[in-house]
Amino acid sequence: MPTTYTARIPRDDVTFGDRRLEQLFAAVRTKGRFVRLFEHYVPEQPRSSATLPYESWLGVNYKIEFTCDMKRSELHSFGIQLQTGEIRERFHDLLLTKKLTPRLPAHVYITPDRIALPRAVLFLEEYIGDKIAAYDHTWAEEAQLRLAEELIRVGDYYEPPLKAAEPDKRAEIEAQYANRRNEIDWQYRPRVQISVINCGLFHFPAVNGPMS
């Protein structure tokens, strides 16, 4: 009776915190940060042999962090049309309604962009800046007050020993005082940090664009 051999399939058992799993996550983040996709569009009535124009959108997903001694973050998805400069919020929600493919559909051509990608990114950054400027920034004012209070408290702690310190000990205490002030400033000073999670170029039929 012939012997049946079963090939051994290599397998890695990983759990959260494993270095191997972190490497997999890092590879996904690196290779999945940019995509280029086309809408799979089927017209309601058969078309002639003429080609169909597609328009281009740059879509970017941002993470906005509001940081002081407390922290909160928001996720925003924006799309900008590379011919008109129109900007649309919640762009990711729109993509979920589309059937997308990485391959250029047959009988399709991409209309030339009027806005270069670096300029489109600049437009999005200006749009986000205006959006954040319209927020209620009471949180930042309150953080500044807490920062001032902490600096006063630390000063009250270090200044008496500084005045009484021997000359050979004074430099050490001054260094500790400066380090503590820097730590408090970093912890309490309000700041807004904006980072790109991922982005992509998305092409839609000009006759049935995303606003339709």
Side-chain angles (χ1 to χ4, degrees), residues 188-204:
Y188 284 87
R189 185 170 298 281
R191 55 197 180 274
V192 179
Q193 298 171 302
I194 303 173
S195 57
V196 173
I197 301 173
N198 48 32
C199 59
L201 282 175
F202 302 90
H203 307 279
F204 305 101

Side-chain angles (χ1 to χ4, degrees), residues 4-208:
T4 302
Y5 293 94
T6 302
R8 181 177 178 273
I9 302 175
R11 186 182 70 177
D12 285 338
D13 293 323
V14 295
T15 59
F16 282 104
D18 286 349
R19 183 178 179 183
R20 176 60 176 162
L21 185 60
E22 290 301 319
Q23 291 175 340
L24 293 174
F25 285 161
V28 171
R29 286 193 296 266
T30 301
K31 296 182 179 180
R33 286 179 65 95
F34 183 85
V35 296
R36 185 177 187 183
L37 297 173
F38 306 84
E39 181 180 359
H40 180 70
Y41 173 61
V42 179
E44 296 180 359
Q45 298 181 356
R47 295 176 56 88
S48 64
S49 58
T51 55
L52 177 68
Y54 266 42
E55 60 187 20
S56 302
W57 288 70
L58 171 66
V60 185
N61 294 323
Y62 292 95
K63 182 178 183 180
I64 304 177
E65 297 175 285
F66 303 87
T67 306
C68 53
D69 55 321
M70 295 179 286
K71 184 176 181 179
R72 71 180 177 89
S73 60
E74 299 178 353
L75 300 180
H76 291 268
S77 183
F78 298 102
I80 179 171
Q81 220 269 26
L82 296 181
Q83 281 193 316
T84 65
E86 173 194 351
I87 294 176
R88 176 163 183 174
E89 298 190 22
R90 304 180 65 87
F91 191 69
H92 179 72
D93 293 347
L94 176 141
L95 297 178
L96 295 178
T97 67
K98 304 290 183 179
K99 184 177 180 181
L100 301 172
T101 173
R103 295 185 178 182
L104 179 68
H107 308 296
V108 162
Y109 73 93
I110 307 301
T111 56
D113 299 334
R114 295 181 179 177
I115 302 174
L117 287 178
R119 191 160 183 80
V121 171
L122 179 62
F123 287 158
L124 288 177
E125 291 176 349
E126 291 176 346
Y127 185 88
I128 294 174
D130 292 341
K131 187 177 183 69
I132 293 175
Y135 278 23
D136 179 1
H137 294 288
T138 303
W139 69 274
E141 297 169 0
E142 294 174 347
Q144 288 282 18
L145 292 175
R146 293 194 297 274
L147 171 60
E149 292 172 355
E150 286 298 316
L151 290 175
I152 291 173
R153 187 175 293 112
V154 170
D156 291 342
Y157 177 84
Y158 277 98
E159 286 174 5
L162 273 174
K163 292 178 181 179
E166 298 294 332
D168 59 335
K169 296 293 185 180
R170 187 176 183 84
E172 180 181 351
I173 299 175
E174 286 178 341
Q176 292 176 359
Y177 184 20
N179 288 337
R180 184 58 182 146
R181 286 178 60 89
N182 290 335
E183 290 173 357
I184 291 173
D185 185 83
W186 180 86
Q187 180 181 0
Y188 284 87
R189 185 170 298 281
R191 55 197 180 274
V192 179
Q193 298 171 302
I194 303 173
S195 57
V196 173
I197 301 173
N198 48 32
C199 59
L201 282 175
F202 302 90
H203 307 279
F204 305 101
V207 297
N208 187 34

